Amino acid sequence: MSKKGYWMAMVDVRDPEVYKQYIEANAAAFAKYGAKFVVRAGRYANPEGPTGNRHVLVEFETYDQALACYESPEYQEASKYRLAASTGHFVIVEGA
């Protein structure tokens, strides 16, 4: 049985207007690859130091789906907005 895949991101959004364009643009890739948001912004505490002002955890049915979504033309186009509007840490991981 395949393990789930996850995108984990801790982001500092510098330009909220451009970041909104990223959110709109990434919807096509997320729908195509069955992404489910476990965490998408919301309240947070960072008791051990700065972690960004936006936190996201996206679940995919498999690790391979998570990679395929990231590498897809749809997501690569959307990511241009994210990279222009923010900095942060982003990782794709296999679940337990």
Side-chain angles (χ1 to χ4, degrees), residues 8-29:
M8 298 179 350
M10 296 184 298
V11 179
D12 274 312
V13 177
R14 294 183 315 272
D15 187 334
E17 292 306 312
V18 174
Y19 200 84
K20 285 180 189 176
Q21 293 175 344
Y22 164 66
I23 293 169
E24 292 170 10
N26 70 30

Side-chain angles (χ1 to χ4, degrees), residues 26-89:
N26 70 30
F30 288 159
K32 181 177 178 179
Y33 291 92
K36 296 177 186 170
F37 285 92
V38 178
V39 174
R40 190 173 198 177
R43 296 187 320 161
Y44 64 92
N46 45 10
E48 295 189 8
T51 61
N53 58 21
R54 186 171 180 91
H55 308 89
V56 180
L57 178 62
V58 184
E59 180 181 79
F60 295 85
E61 282 302 310
T62 67
Y63 176 75
D64 290 338
Q65 273 186 300
L67 285 176
C69 183
Y70 182 82
E71 295 169 352
S72 72
E74 296 90 347
Y75 185 75
Q76 287 302 304
E77 187 61 32
S79 72
K80 293 175 185 176
Y81 295 111
R82 179 178 56 84
L83 295 171
S86 66
T87 57
H89 298 283

